[in-house]
Amino acid sequence: MAFQLVSKEFKKQSKSDKAFDIINHIFLFLILIIVLYPLWFIIIASFSSPNEVAAGNVLLWPKGFNVRGYAEIFKFEKIWIGYKNSIIYTILGTSINLIATIPAAFAFSRREMVGSKFLMFLFTFTMFFGGGLIPTYLLIQDLGLYDTVWALVLPGAVSVYNLIVARTFFDQSIPNELWEAANVDGCDYIKYFFQIVLPISKPIIAVMLLIYAVGHWNSYFSALIYIIDAAKQPLQVILREILIQSQNVANMGSASMETLEAQRQLSEMIKYGVIIVSSLPVLIIYPFVQKHFVKGMMIGAVKG
């Protein structure tokens, strides 16, 4: 039925409109291929022989199929500790981000909020000027956050850019008449926010959730600086350690040529496998929030 409606609309178009649609679809299809192929190549390369990959024979399908790289990656017992830590840090950090960002964005969207412009200026100021790594490191130490999970989730509790996007969403998508009607019924701001605003703000909440969660999942630099206990390290740091170890073994000069070549091949397989292992959870979650993500980004990022 939907296909028939599209066909009828297509027939009603002028020749120039039809030509534009055809060119536009071809152009978008080419962009889709350009974006997706690198990801597909990493997947098939992780299951292919390193010699086939180096020779340029791996284009669309794996060649010399093997899973040795994944087997070597999962031999490291610490990888499961890293997965557990990353899941904890992502859930805890994203929860803190949402609890801090969404109410603040709603408050800044209210024109009657006293001092909102000045406070927004202070928030925006931090986007252009920062203390730097050393002052931040000393601050983390003085606050007693060093080598704790809080060093990874508290300093970035609010992203100013995400705050602006969420504020724009509340300002554009939720009419002020809704608050006036709720106020007439005896609803205060707290009830209005939790009972009316939040239920109709699923798109922007999904956007914030995905952006913050991906940021926490992929973060490794903060953990590299502030976490020294191996039992607290996230997945990205452990995968980095695995990759460095495999490269060091592949570069050792005392081994025979055969051993060096075997280690080089293993290092190549591990390199591609590490990318898949670290990206897989995000790739699994994204399809479930994609609809809200696209809608929220279009509404929250455009100021009319």
Side-chain angles (χ1 to χ4, degrees), residues 73-116:
I73 291 172
F74 289 110
K75 277 184 181 179
F76 288 82
E77 296 181 359
K78 290 198 299 184
I79 197 172
W80 303 112
I81 298 175
Y83 255 114
K84 181 195 72 174
N85 291 338
S86 286
I87 291 172
I88 293 173
Y89 298 159
T90 300
I91 293 175
L92 178 61
T94 304
S95 300
I96 293 174
N97 294 140
L98 293 178
I99 291 171
T101 302
I102 299 299
F106 171 73
F108 279 120
S109 71
R110 307 305 304 172
R111 294 181 174 86
E112 61 269 24
M113 177 181 171
V114 179
S116 60

